Amino acid sequence: MNTKKHVSQIVIAAAPHMVGDGFRVQSTLPGGTRSENNVISPFIMMDYAAPNYIPPSPRPRGVGEHPHKGFETVTIVYQGELEHRDSTGSHGFLYPGDVQWMTAAGGILHEEKYSEAFTKTGGKVEFAQLWVNLPKAFKQNPPAYQNLTKADIPVVKVSEEGYVRVIAGAYNGTKGAATTFSPVNVLDVRLKKDDSITFSVAEHFNTVAVVFQGEADINGQPVKAVETALFEKNGTDITITALKDTAMVVLSGEPIDEPIFAYGPFVMNTEEDIRVAIDEYNTGKMGELR
């Protein structure tokens, strides 16, 4: 019996665009805010900021105060230093290797910028941000924040320099660091040329592999930098062999079989939910930055 999970489509990332006044990113996933034909649920979108030099500046750049509701943001920092503040009172820094898993749920205000120290010196930045949908049952939960340092995230060695970091879910028996509201696997993969890994995902999960840098053979299909492989539901096994030194993430999760209605920073189930979210934001019910 063939258990290989075949690649159904290769998606090329969109052209770079600016988010705020400091983040130059590319959107790597197909539209996850459409209820119909959603092949990436529970994931909504993922932006990747490729390595880029940020010159010194008199003030921190990034994205100022803005709201979110109904989903989670997962920020992975590879180079540079980000600073975070939100309306729950959380404040912290993200250094290379760190992950911020923020549950917006019932509503949160936050800002993400380069830290003051990094702003003064400048330097290279590289990071990715993933949006993960929440089931309706949890969309009104209080907002929360998981600060996962580099040391918190389990690492499975593949070779002397190749490895898989298990941010959420599990990889070949190693459990991830994050707590999630639905079954998801978030694997941060670094492979040297000719490194190879094989693992299984549940057959009913949606699965995507996003190559940030390099090139990899994924179940017989070459996938290049800023390309995303979408997989068929049938099959369970995935084999990835690095054709060059490769940096990528592999995402898989149980689809959330519920309507999606999205508007900007809000991902809810109905248009009325969005109206309520906008009203909550405009009337200050999502709190304030402290």
Side-chain angles (χ1 to χ4, degrees):
M1 181 178 177
N2 185 5
T3 59
K4 182 186 290 187
K5 187 176 281 291
H6 292 288
V7 174
S8 62
Q9 184 182 354
I10 301 294
V11 177
I12 300 173
H17 66 278
M18 292 299 296
V19 175
D21 65 358
F23 301 153
R24 183 177 183 269
V25 302
Q26 290 177 270
S27 297
T28 62
L29 300 184
T33 54
R34 297 192 300 268
S35 293
E36 69 279 6
N37 195 32
N38 184 8
V39 296
I40 64 169
S41 176
F43 310 108
I44 299 167
M45 58 153 274
M46 178 174 241
D47 282 345
Y48 173 59
N52 184 35
Y53 176 74
I54 302 296
S57 172
R59 61 173 181 81
R61 296 178 180 176
V63 183
E65 178 182 321
H66 60 285
H68 287 304
K69 183 177 182 178
F71 65 101
E72 302 182 284
T73 66
V74 182
T75 305
I76 310 169
V77 174
Y78 298 112
Q79 298 184 73
E81 187 176 304
L82 299 181
E83 186 170 359
H84 160 91
R85 289 194 306 142
D86 68 39
S87 53
T88 71
S90 292
H91 170 261
F93 299 89
L94 289 169
Y95 303 102
D98 292 351
V99 174
Q100 174 206 93
W101 196 295
M102 187 184 78
T103 304
I108 196 169
L109 300 182
H110 79 142
E111 70 173 21
E112 302 160 290
K113 295 185 177 183
Y114 299 119
S115 70
E116 287 195 14
F118 180 84
T119 296
K120 290 177 181 178
T121 62
K124 266 198 171 183
V125 299
E126 180 190 6
F127 60 89
Q129 185 174 91
L130 170 70
W131 288 16
V132 182
N133 199 10
L134 284 170
K136 181 179 180 179
F138 303 111
K139 283 186 181 291
Q140 300 295 343
N141 275 25
Y145 176 78
Q146 297 177 71
N147 183 45
L148 308 175
T149 68
K150 181 179 179 180
D152 294 330
I153 300 169
V155 178
V156 180
K157 294 285 286 182
V158 175
S159 64
E160 191 170 331
E161 296 182 61
Y163 56 86
V164 177
R165 296 202 308 155
V166 191
I167 295 172
Y171 168 78
N172 287 349
T174 297
K175 192 175 183 301
T179 299
T180 66
F181 287 88
S182 65
V184 297
N185 301 300
V186 179
L187 308 179
D188 182 29
V189 181
R190 292 292 180 275
L191 300 177
K192 299 301 289 183
K193 185 178 183 293
D194 298 327
D195 282 350
S196 187
I197 59 174
T198 297
F199 57 97
S200 297
V201 299
E203 190 162 30
H204 68 290
F205 279 20
N206 283 331
T207 306
V208 300
V210 186
V211 175
F212 293 148
Q213 297 183 51
E215 183 178 358
D217 178 291
I218 302 177
N219 279 358
Q221 177 73 50
V223 185
K224 299 177 182 177
V226 290
E227 291 184 347
T228 296
L230 307 183
F231 291 83
E232 296 176 357
K233 284 274 179 58
N234 295 336
T236 57
D237 295 348
I238 297 174
T239 297
I240 300 172
T241 302
L243 303 176
K244 302 176 181 176
D245 291 356
T246 297
M248 64 188 297
V249 294
V250 181
L251 313 171
S252 61
E254 185 172 72
I256 297 174
D257 188 19
E258 297 172 353
I260 293 176
F261 204 99
Y263 179 80
F266 308 127
V267 181
M268 304 301 292
N269 297 110
T270 67
E271 186 174 358
E272 178 58 27
D273 292 339
I274 296 295
R275 291 195 187 100
V276 170
I278 293 171
D279 181 67
E280 289 172 343
Y281 172 60
N282 287 334
T283 57
K285 291 179 181 177
M286 291 187 184
E288 61 184 22
L289 291 186
R290 304 173 190 176

mmCIF file of all heavy atoms in Angstrom, residues 250-288:
data_model
loop_
_atom_site.group_PDB
_atom_site.id
_atom_site.type_symbol
_atom_site.label_atom_id
_atom_site.label_comp_id
_atom_site.label_asym_id
_atom_site.label_seq_id
_atom_site.Cartn_x
_atom_site.Cartn_y
_atom_site.Cartn_z
ATOM 1 N N VAL A 250 7.225 23.158 7.872
ATOM 2 C CA VAL A 250 6.178 22.212 7.476
ATOM 3 C C VAL A 250 5.026 22.377 8.455
ATOM 4 O O VAL A 250 5.208 22.301 9.676
ATOM 5 C CB VAL A 250 6.686 20.761 7.480
ATOM 6 C CG1 VAL A 250 5.562 19.810 7.048
ATOM 7 C CG2 VAL A 250 7.892 20.602 6.564
ATOM 8 N N LEU A 251 3.838 22.634 7.898
ATOM 9 C CA LEU A 251 2.648 22.880 8.697
ATOM 10 C C LEU A 251 1.605 21.815 8.382
ATOM 11 O O LEU A 251 1.357 21.523 7.206
ATOM 12 C CB LEU A 251 2.046 24.249 8.369
ATOM 13 C CG LEU A 251 2.997 25.448 8.314
ATOM 14 C CD1 LEU A 251 2.275 26.672 7.770
ATOM 15 C CD2 LEU A 251 3.566 25.730 9.695
ATOM 16 N N SER A 252 1.004 21.235 9.401
ATOM 17 C CA SER A 252 -0.106 20.318 9.185
ATOM 18 C C SER A 252 -1.083 20.471 10.332
ATOM 19 O O SER A 252 -0.695 20.797 11.461
ATOM 20 C CB SER A 252 0.372 18.874 9.051
ATOM 21 O OG SER A 252 1.038 18.438 10.213
ATOM 22 N N GLY A 253 -2.357 20.259 10.031
ATOM 23 C CA GLY A 253 -3.344 20.427 11.086
ATOM 24 C C GLY A 253 -4.703 19.907 10.693
ATOM 25 O O GLY A 253 -5.018 19.747 9.507
ATOM 26 N N GLU A 254 -5.509 19.647 11.708
ATOM 27 C CA GLU A 254 -6.875 19.188 11.485
ATOM 28 C C GLU A 254 -7.720 20.358 10.988
ATOM 29 O O GLU A 254 -7.773 21.402 11.644
ATOM 30 C CB GLU A 254 -7.450 18.640 12.792
ATOM 31 C CG GLU A 254 -8.814 18.028 12.673
ATOM 32 C CD GLU A 254 -9.213 17.339 13.959
ATOM 33 O OE1 GLU A 254 -9.494 18.062 14.941
ATOM 34 O OE2 GLU A 254 -9.221 16.090 13.989
ATOM 35 N N PRO A 255 -8.378 20.216 9.837
ATOM 36 C CA PRO A 255 -9.184 21.335 9.323
ATOM 37 C C PRO A 255 -10.285 21.731 10.305
ATOM 38 O O PRO A 255 -10.866 20.875 10.980
ATOM 39 C CB PRO A 255 -9.783 20.769 8.027
ATOM 40 C CG PRO A 255 -8.917 19.612 7.650
ATOM 41 C CD PRO A 255 -8.406 19.047 8.938
ATOM 42 N N ILE A 256 -10.546 23.028 10.391
ATOM 43 C CA ILE A 256 -11.658 23.533 11.194
ATOM 44 C C ILE A 256 -12.838 23.698 10.242
ATOM 45 O O ILE A 256 -12.855 24.613 9.422
ATOM 46 C CB ILE A 256 -11.282 24.860 11.878
ATOM 47 C CG1 ILE A 256 -10.121 24.640 12.845
ATOM 48 C CG2 ILE A 256 -12.488 25.439 12.627
ATOM 49 C CD1 ILE A 256 -9.573 25.920 13.458
ATOM 50 N N ASP A 257 -13.785 22.801 10.338
ATOM 51 C CA ASP A 257 -14.897 22.754 9.387
ATOM 52 C C ASP A 257 -16.005 23.696 9.837
ATOM 53 O O ASP A 257 -17.089 23.277 10.248
ATOM 54 C CB ASP A 257 -15.403 21.316 9.260
ATOM 55 C CG ASP A 257 -16.433 21.163 8.134
ATOM 56 O OD1 ASP A 257 -16.469 22.049 7.258
ATOM 57 O OD2 ASP A 257 -17.184 20.168 8.165
ATOM 58 N N GLU A 258 -15.704 24.993 9.780
ATOM 59 C CA GLU A 258 -16.651 26.032 10.183
ATOM 60 C C GLU A 258 -16.573 27.178 9.189
ATOM 61 O O GLU A 258 -15.533 27.369 8.537
ATOM 62 C CB GLU A 258 -16.313 26.550 11.586
ATOM 63 C CG GLU A 258 -16.428 25.512 12.686
ATOM 64 C CD GLU A 258 -15.909 25.995 14.032
ATOM 65 O OE1 GLU A 258 -15.319 27.107 14.084
ATOM 66 O OE2 GLU A 258 -16.079 25.265 15.012
ATOM 67 N N PRO A 259 -17.624 27.971 9.062
ATOM 68 C CA PRO A 259 -17.558 29.134 8.163
ATOM 69 C C PRO A 259 -16.464 30.103 8.599
ATOM 70 O O PRO A 259 -16.163 30.211 9.787
ATOM 71 C CB PRO A 259 -18.946 29.772 8.298
ATOM 72 C CG PRO A 259 -19.822 28.712 8.867
ATOM 73 C CD PRO A 259 -18.934 27.845 9.712
ATOM 74 N N ILE A 260 -15.869 30.776 7.632
ATOM 75 C CA ILE A 260 -14.875 31.813 7.908
ATOM 76 C C ILE A 260 -15.374 33.128 7.321
ATOM 77 O O ILE A 260 -15.784 33.182 6.164
ATOM 78 C CB ILE A 260 -13.514 31.466 7.286
ATOM 79 C CG1 ILE A 260 -12.897 30.248 7.963
ATOM 80 C CG2 ILE A 260 -12.549 32.655 7.394
ATOM 81 C CD1 ILE A 260 -11.597 29.797 7.331
ATOM 82 N N PHE A 261 -15.359 34.161 8.137
ATOM 83 C CA PHE A 261 -15.619 35.508 7.643
ATOM 84 C C PHE A 261 -14.516 36.388 8.189
ATOM 85 O O PHE A 261 -14.367 36.527 9.405
ATOM 86 C CB PHE A 261 -16.990 36.022 8.091
ATOM 87 C CG PHE A 261 -17.533 37.100 7.194
ATOM 88 C CD1 PHE A 261 -18.466 36.811 6.214
ATOM 89 C CD2 PHE A 261 -17.079 38.409 7.311
ATOM 90 C CE1 PHE A 261 -18.955 37.802 5.369
ATOM 91 C CE2 PHE A 261 -17.555 39.407 6.473
ATOM 92 C CZ PHE A 261 -18.500 39.104 5.498
ATOM 93 N N ALA A 262 -13.690 36.914 7.296
ATOM 94 C CA ALA A 262 -12.506 37.673 7.706
ATOM 95 C C ALA A 262 -12.586 39.100 7.201
ATOM 96 O O ALA A 262 -13.107 39.370 6.107
ATOM 97 C CB ALA A 262 -11.243 37.012 7.177
ATOM 98 N N TYR A 263 -12.067 40.007 8.016
ATOM 99 C CA TYR A 263 -11.971 41.407 7.629
ATOM 100 C C TYR A 263 -10.738 41.979 8.295
ATOM 101 O O TYR A 263 -10.701 42.137 9.526
ATOM 102 C CB TYR A 263 -13.223 42.179 8.044
ATOM 103 C CG TYR A 263 -13.176 43.653 7.690
ATOM 104 C CD1 TYR A 263 -13.459 44.080 6.398
ATOM 105 C CD2 TYR A 263 -12.841 44.602 8.656
ATOM 106 C CE1 TYR A 263 -13.416 45.434 6.073
ATOM 107 C CE2 TYR A 263 -12.796 45.945 8.353
ATOM 108 C CZ TYR A 263 -13.079 46.360 7.054
ATOM 109 O OH TYR A 263 -13.024 47.696 6.736
ATOM 110 N N GLY A 264 -9.706 42.258 7.497
ATOM 111 C CA GLY A 264 -8.484 42.825 8.054
ATOM 112 C C GLY A 264 -7.928 41.970 9.175
ATOM 113 O O GLY A 264 -7.636 40.781 8.981
ATOM 114 N N PRO A 265 -7.825 42.529 10.387
ATOM 115 C CA PRO A 265 -7.196 41.803 11.497
ATOM 116 C C PRO A 265 -8.157 40.919 12.288
ATOM 117 O O PRO A 265 -7.808 40.450 13.366
ATOM 118 C CB PRO A 265 -6.677 42.940 12.377
ATOM 119 C CG PRO A 265 -7.698 44.018 12.198
ATOM 120 C CD PRO A 265 -8.155 43.924 10.763
ATOM 121 N N PHE A 266 -9.385 40.717 11.766
ATOM 122 C CA PHE A 266 -10.377 39.911 12.464
ATOM 123 C C PHE A 266 -10.732 38.688 11.621
ATOM 124 O O PHE A 266 -11.002 38.814 10.424
ATOM 125 C CB PHE A 266 -11.650 40.721 12.738
ATOM 126 C CG PHE A 266 -11.403 42.041 13.421
ATOM 127 C CD1 PHE A 266 -11.903 43.221 12.896
ATOM 128 C CD2 PHE A 266 -10.667 42.101 14.596
ATOM 129 C CE1 PHE A 266 -11.681 44.441 13.522
ATOM 130 C CE2 PHE A 266 -10.441 43.320 15.239
ATOM 131 C CZ PHE A 266 -10.936 44.492 14.689
ATOM 132 N N VAL A 267 -10.745 37.502 12.244
ATOM 133 C CA VAL A 267 -11.129 36.269 11.553
ATOM 134 C C VAL A 267 -12.202 35.590 12.396
ATOM 135 O O VAL A 267 -11.906 34.989 13.431
ATOM 136 C CB VAL A 267 -9.929 35.328 11.336
ATOM 137 C CG1 VAL A 267 -10.367 34.061 10.599
ATOM 138 C CG2 VAL A 267 -8.824 36.030 10.556
ATOM 139 N N MET A 268 -13.447 35.701 11.933
ATOM 140 C CA MET A 268 -14.579 35.203 12.701
ATOM 141 C C MET A 268 -15.390 34.226 11.840
ATOM 142 O O MET A 268 -14.906 33.743 10.817
ATOM 143 C CB MET A 268 -15.423 36.384 13.187
ATOM 144 C CG MET A 268 -14.650 37.432 13.998
ATOM 145 S SD MET A 268 -13.866 36.774 15.512
ATOM 146 C CE MET A 268 -15.314 36.390 16.487
ATOM 147 N N ASN A 269 -16.644 33.980 12.252
ATOM 148 C CA ASN A 269 -17.475 33.013 11.539
ATOM 149 C C ASN A 269 -18.575 33.654 10.694
ATOM 150 O O ASN A 269 -19.064 33.048 9.745
ATOM 151 C CB ASN A 269 -18.116 32.028 12.524
ATOM 152 C CG ASN A 269 -17.091 31.198 13.271
ATOM 153 O OD1 ASN A 269 -16.896 31.373 14.465
ATOM 154 N ND2 ASN A 269 -16.425 30.293 12.572
ATOM 155 N N THR A 270 -18.997 34.870 11.062
ATOM 156 C CA THR A 270 -20.078 35.524 10.336
ATOM 157 C C THR A 270 -19.774 37.013 10.169
ATOM 158 O O THR A 270 -18.923 37.580 10.866
ATOM 159 C CB THR A 270 -21.420 35.399 11.090
ATOM 160 O OG1 THR A 270 -21.349 36.160 12.300
ATOM 161 C CG2 THR A 270 -21.738 33.938 11.410
ATOM 162 N N GLU A 271 -20.525 37.636 9.267
ATOM 163 C CA GLU A 271 -20.381 39.080 9.067
ATOM 164 C C GLU A 271 -20.771 39.838 10.330
ATOM 165 O O GLU A 271 -20.157 40.852 10.677
ATOM 166 C CB GLU A 271 -21.247 39.520 7.882
ATOM 167 C CG GLU A 271 -21.056 40.974 7.493
ATOM 168 C CD GLU A 271 -21.808 41.359 6.236
ATOM 169 O OE1 GLU A 271 -22.462 40.486 5.632
ATOM 170 O OE2 GLU A 271 -21.743 42.546 5.859
ATOM 171 N N GLU A 272 -21.780 39.342 11.032
ATOM 172 C CA GLU A 272 -22.196 39.992 12.278
ATOM 173 C C GLU A 272 -21.075 39.941 13.319
ATOM 174 O O GLU A 272 -20.863 40.908 14.063
ATOM 175 C CB GLU A 272 -23.464 39.329 12.827
ATOM 176 C CG GLU A 272 -23.954 39.901 14.150
ATOM 177 C CD GLU A 272 -24.253 41.396 14.103
ATOM 178 O OE1 GLU A 272 -24.583 41.924 13.014
ATOM 179 O OE2 GLU A 272 -24.152 42.045 15.164
ATOM 180 N N ASP A 273 -20.344 38.803 13.373
ATOM 181 C CA ASP A 273 -19.193 38.708 14.284
ATOM 182 C C ASP A 273 -18.182 39.819 13.996
ATOM 183 O O ASP A 273 -17.571 40.370 14.918
ATOM 184 C CB ASP A 273 -18.496 37.354 14.125
ATOM 185 C CG ASP A 273 -19.321 36.185 14.617
ATOM 186 O OD1 ASP A 273 -20.239 36.402 15.429
ATOM 187 O OD2 ASP A 273 -19.039 35.055 14.184
ATOM 188 N N ILE A 274 -17.972 40.113 12.715
ATOM 189 C CA ILE A 274 -17.019 41.160 12.328
ATOM 190 C C ILE A 274 -17.522 42.528 12.782
ATOM 191 O O ILE A 274 -16.742 43.346 13.309
ATOM 192 C CB ILE A 274 -16.789 41.142 10.802
ATOM 193 C CG1 ILE A 274 -16.142 39.820 10.365
ATOM 194 C CG2 ILE A 274 -15.941 42.338 10.375
ATOM 195 C CD1 ILE A 274 -14.745 39.590 10.901
ATOM 196 N N ARG A 275 -18.812 42.785 12.601
ATOM 197 C CA ARG A 275 -19.371 44.072 13.050
ATOM 198 C C ARG A 275 -19.161 44.248 14.556
ATOM 199 O O ARG A 275 -18.811 45.331 15.021
ATOM 200 C CB ARG A 275 -20.869 44.142 12.727
ATOM 201 C CG ARG A 275 -21.194 44.225 11.241
ATOM 202 C CD ARG A 275 -22.636 44.660 11.044
ATOM 203 N NE ARG A 275 -23.013 44.580 9.650
ATOM 204 C CZ ARG A 275 -23.706 43.580 9.114
ATOM 205 N NH1 ARG A 275 -24.082 42.553 9.867
ATOM 206 N NH2 ARG A 275 -24.027 43.594 7.840
ATOM 207 N N VAL A 276 -19.378 43.177 15.296
ATOM 208 C CA VAL A 276 -19.178 43.232 16.753
ATOM 209 C C VAL A 276 -17.708 43.517 17.073
ATOM 210 O O VAL A 276 -17.402 44.343 17.949
ATOM 211 C CB VAL A 276 -19.641 41.914 17.407
ATOM 212 C CG1 VAL A 276 -19.209 41.870 18.879
ATOM 213 C CG2 VAL A 276 -21.147 41.758 17.291
ATOM 214 N N ALA A 277 -16.786 42.836 16.364
ATOM 215 C CA ALA A 277 -15.357 43.035 16.614
ATOM 216 C C ALA A 277 -14.951 44.484 16.340
ATOM 217 O O ALA A 277 -14.194 45.087 17.124
ATOM 218 C CB ALA A 277 -14.542 42.084 15.751
ATOM 219 N N ILE A 278 -15.439 45.039 15.246
ATOM 220 C CA ILE A 278 -15.110 46.430 14.911
ATOM 221 C C ILE A 278 -15.650 47.375 15.985
ATOM 222 O O ILE A 278 -14.965 48.312 16.421
ATOM 223 C CB ILE A 278 -15.677 46.799 13.522
ATOM 224 C CG1 ILE A 278 -14.939 45.997 12.433
ATOM 225 C CG2 ILE A 278 -15.538 48.294 13.253
ATOM 226 C CD1 ILE A 278 -15.561 46.114 11.057
ATOM 227 N N ASP A 279 -16.861 47.109 16.449
ATOM 228 C CA ASP A 279 -17.462 47.947 17.500
ATOM 229 C C ASP A 279 -16.668 47.833 18.798
ATOM 230 O O ASP A 279 -16.421 48.837 19.479
ATOM 231 C CB ASP A 279 -18.917 47.534 17.721
ATOM 232 C CG ASP A 279 -19.596 48.394 18.779
ATOM 233 O OD1 ASP A 279 -19.787 49.600 18.512
ATOM 234 O OD2 ASP A 279 -19.907 47.869 19.868
ATOM 235 N N GLU A 280 -16.248 46.616 19.136
ATOM 236 C CA GLU A 280 -15.455 46.425 20.353
ATOM 237 C C GLU A 280 -14.151 47.197 20.274
ATOM 238 O O GLU A 280 -13.714 47.807 21.267
ATOM 239 C CB GLU A 280 -15.178 44.935 20.562
ATOM 240 C CG GLU A 280 -16.400 44.140 20.978
ATOM 241 C CD GLU A 280 -16.157 42.645 20.990
ATOM 242 O OE1 GLU A 280 -15.154 42.189 20.381
ATOM 243 O OE2 GLU A 280 -16.968 41.917 21.575
ATOM 244 N N TYR A 281 -13.532 47.181 19.109
ATOM 245 C CA TYR A 281 -12.283 47.924 18.949
ATOM 246 C C TYR A 281 -12.524 49.426 19.053
ATOM 247 O O TYR A 281 -11.816 50.132 19.778
ATOM 248 C CB TYR A 281 -11.647 47.571 17.605
ATOM 249 C CG TYR A 281 -10.458 48.433 17.251
ATOM 250 C CD1 TYR A 281 -9.339 48.477 18.069
ATOM 251 C CD2 TYR A 281 -10.467 49.231 16.103
ATOM 252 C CE1 TYR A 281 -8.250 49.281 17.761
ATOM 253 C CE2 TYR A 281 -9.386 50.031 15.778
ATOM 254 C CZ TYR A 281 -8.280 50.059 16.609
ATOM 255 O OH TYR A 281 -7.216 50.856 16.298
ATOM 256 N N ASN A 282 -13.543 49.904 18.343
ATOM 257 C CA ASN A 282 -13.802 51.351 18.302
ATOM 258 C C ASN A 282 -14.230 51.908 19.649
ATOM 259 O O ASN A 282 -14.012 53.093 19.932
ATOM 260 C CB ASN A 282 -14.866 51.667 17.252
ATOM 261 C CG ASN A 282 -14.346 51.530 15.835
ATOM 262 O OD1 ASN A 282 -13.152 51.660 15.591
ATOM 263 N ND2 ASN A 282 -15.234 51.256 14.885
ATOM 264 N N THR A 283 -14.837 51.087 20.495
ATOM 265 C CA THR A 283 -15.310 51.561 21.808
ATOM 266 C C THR A 283 -14.337 51.236 22.941
ATOM 267 O O THR A 283 -14.661 51.417 24.109
ATOM 268 C CB THR A 283 -16.697 50.961 22.128
ATOM 269 O OG1 THR A 283 -16.619 49.528 22.082
ATOM 270 C CG2 THR A 283 -17.742 51.449 21.129
ATOM 271 N N GLY A 284 -13.150 50.717 22.578
ATOM 272 C CA GLY A 284 -12.125 50.510 23.583
ATOM 273 C C GLY A 284 -12.248 49.228 24.397
ATOM 274 O O GLY A 284 -11.533 49.052 25.395
ATOM 275 N N LYS A 285 -13.140 48.318 23.979
ATOM 276 C CA LYS A 285 -13.357 47.105 24.760
ATOM 277 C C LYS A 285 -12.216 46.096 24.634
ATOM 278 O O LYS A 285 -12.173 45.104 25.367
ATOM 279 C CB LYS A 285 -14.676 46.457 24.354
ATOM 280 C CG LYS A 285 -15.889 47.275 24.764
ATOM 281 C CD LYS A 285 -17.195 46.622 24.327
ATOM 282 C CE LYS A 285 -18.386 47.484 24.735
ATOM 283 N NZ LYS A 285 -19.677 46.904 24.265
ATOM 284 N N MET A 286 -11.302 46.325 23.680
ATOM 285 C CA MET A 286 -10.136 45.440 23.558
ATOM 286 C C MET A 286 -8.969 45.925 24.410
ATOM 287 O O MET A 286 -7.859 45.402 24.312
ATOM 288 C CB MET A 286 -9.709 45.323 22.090
ATOM 289 C CG MET A 286 -10.710 44.557 21.243
ATOM 290 S SD MET A 286 -10.116 44.254 19.563
ATOM 291 C CE MET A 286 -11.560 43.457 18.839
ATOM 292 N N GLY A 287 -9.231 46.928 25.249
ATOM 293 C CA GLY A 287 -8.194 47.402 26.158
ATOM 294 C C GLY A 287 -7.308 48.449 25.533
ATOM 295 O O GLY A 287 -7.646 49.067 24.510
ATOM 296 N N GLU A 288 -6.149 48.639 26.142
ATOM 297 C CA GLU A 288 -5.179 49.616 25.661
ATOM 298 C C GLU A 288 -3.772 49.115 25.913
ATOM 299 O O GLU A 288 -3.554 48.277 26.790
ATOM 300 C CB GLU A 288 -5.402 50.962 26.342
ATOM 301 C CG GLU A 288 -5.246 50.917 27.847
ATOM 302 C CD GLU A 288 -5.561 52.246 28.518
ATOM 303 O OE1 GLU A 288 -6.279 53.060 27.926
ATOM 304 O OE2 GLU A 288 -5.046 52.440 29.648
#
